[in-house]
């Protein structure tokens, strides 16, 4: 090593050290930007999420906070909605359709920066509590998506939300189903479910894994399943 150092000109060594210092500075700046970016773009993300939800559903939607991370799903951006709650309107005003500890999504970085076109790649629901209801008249409380207007159909190319979903999951979920029109009632306790596939394709295979600690099902007041442990791995085309 000492021989090599004697051969190499001191000026070259200085240039190498300068380049090395510049690279270190750039690395520090980039790392700092990645830590700061979630706070810099946080208002745009919260505004975009609320706007998209309010424009799409006929329901009361509320959440505690939105967190953004550039590291959890790197190089994608992780957007997490905390303490989400969706309650119905009109006859379902006292019913909570969905509550969840958090919903975690991996989104496209550039779509976050632009703020007008969010691309979603994966979604995970953590501890969701879902109560699906069908009235005696056959009306479902999950039918909350607003229909597209003629103006929106005319401008179909002006998209504000893109779904390039590859994977979704439910962790520690609870699902209750009450269908008064058919006298069918069901309950799934501690549900873990995940699916993956190319949702952008017209035809694809959906690979799913499902397990539940307990499954209850009654029809016409007759219990067919009581606290039944369930596990299903299914590939669906």
């Amino acid at each position: 090593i000492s021989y090599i150092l004697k051969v190499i000109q001191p000026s070259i060594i200085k240039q190498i050290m300068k380049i090395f210092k510049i690279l270190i500075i750039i690395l520090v700046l980039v790392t700092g930007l990645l830590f700061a970016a979630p706070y810099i773009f946080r208002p745009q993300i919260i505004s975009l999420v609320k706007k998209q939800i309010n424009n799409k559903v006929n329901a009361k939607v509320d959440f505690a906070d939105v967190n953004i991370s550039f590291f959890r799903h790197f190089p994608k951006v992780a957007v997490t909605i905390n303490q989400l709650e969706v309650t119905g309107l009109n006859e379902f005003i006292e019913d909570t359709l969905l509550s969840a500890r958090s919903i975690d999504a991996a989104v496209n970085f550039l779509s976050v920066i632009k703020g007008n076109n969010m691309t979603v790649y994966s979604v995970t629901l953590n501890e969701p509590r879902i109560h699906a209801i069908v009235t005696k008249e056959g009306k479902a409380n999950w039918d909350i998506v607003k229909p597209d207007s003629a103006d929106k159909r005319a401008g179909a190319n002006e998209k504000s939300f893109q779904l390039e979903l590859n994977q979704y999951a439910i962790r520690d979920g609870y699902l209750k189903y009450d269908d008064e029109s058919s006298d069918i009632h069901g309950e799934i306790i501690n549900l873990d479910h995940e699916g993956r596939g190319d949702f952008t394709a017209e035809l694809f295979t959906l690979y799913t894994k499902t397990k539940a600690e307990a499954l209850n099902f009654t029809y016409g007041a007759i219990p067919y399943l009581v606290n039944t442990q369930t596990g299903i791995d299914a590939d669906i085309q």
Side-chain angles (χ1 to χ4, degrees):
I1 295 174
S2 60
Y3 174 77
I4 294 174
L5 292 176
K6 289 179 181 178
V7 174
I8 298 176
Q9 296 182 7
S11 60
I12 296 178
I13 296 177
K14 289 182 179 180
Q15 292 297 326
I16 293 174
M17 293 302 296
K18 286 182 180 180
I19 294 172
F20 182 73
K21 288 179 180 179
I22 292 172
L23 291 175
I24 292 295
I25 292 172
I26 292 174
L27 179 62
V28 171
L29 290 175
V30 170
T31 304
L33 178 61
L34 290 178
F35 275 108
Y39 301 97
I40 295 173
F41 300 110
R42 186 185 185 119
Q44 292 93 320
I45 292 297
I46 293 176
S47 175
L48 179 61
V49 170
K50 288 185 176 181
K51 180 180 178 181
Q52 291 299 329
I53 291 176
N54 291 329
N55 287 340
K56 296 295 183 181
V57 300
N58 287 312
K60 182 181 178 181
V61 181
D62 195 14
F63 52 87
D65 196 9
V66 175
N67 293 328
I68 308 147
S69 172
F70 283 80
F71 296 96
R72 195 160 63 250
H73 297 306
F74 188 83
K76 301 179 181 70
V77 178
V79 178
T80 303
I81 302 175
N82 295 307
Q83 303 300 327
L84 175 69
E85 187 171 280
V86 181
T87 55
L89 300 176
N90 303 320
E91 64 266 49
F92 300 115
I93 194 168
E94 296 182 356
D95 299 313
T96 300
L97 169 61
L98 167 66
S99 64
R101 182 175 63 83
S102 65
I103 296 181
D104 183 53
V107 303
N108 179 273
F109 174 77
L110 292 179
S111 70
V112 174
I113 301 299
K114 294 178 181 179
N116 61 354
N117 189 355
M118 183 178 290
T119 303
V120 180
Y121 298 112
S122 66
V123 177
T124 300
L125 279 72
N126 295 303
E127 298 181 20
R129 300 295 180 262
I130 301 170
H131 190 188
I133 301 172
V134 180
T135 66
K136 291 182 179 180
E137 296 74 26
K139 188 172 182 179
N141 70 331
W142 63 84
D143 187 16
I144 61 174
V145 179
K146 292 181 179 180
D148 290 337
S149 65
D151 293 338
K152 288 183 179 179
R153 286 194 296 268
N157 292 328
E158 298 178 3
K159 296 181 179 180
S160 59
F161 180 82
Q162 293 182 7
L163 188 64
E164 297 183 11
L165 194 63
N166 300 121
Q167 185 176 7
Y168 69 91
I170 298 173
R171 306 298 183 198
D172 190 19
Y174 173 82
L175 171 63
K176 186 177 182 181
Y177 178 77
D178 291 314
D179 187 343
E180 298 296 338
S181 65
S182 303
D183 198 12
I184 295 175
H185 303 273
E187 184 182 40
I188 303 176
I189 301 171
N190 290 342
L191 170 67
D192 286 322
H193 171 79
E194 62 181 49
R196 58 183 176 85
D198 184 6
F199 285 78
T200 61
E202 185 173 345
L203 181 66
F204 70 98
T205 300
L206 176 63
Y207 303 94
T208 67
K209 293 183 178 181
T210 306
K211 66 177 182 178
E213 183 177 300
L215 174 64
N216 299 305
F217 179 78
T218 63
Y219 175 50
I222 299 175
Y224 288 88
L225 296 172
V226 178
N227 293 330
T228 304
Q229 289 188 343
T230 306
I232 302 172
D233 293 346
D235 299 341
I236 305 167
Q237 190 177 67

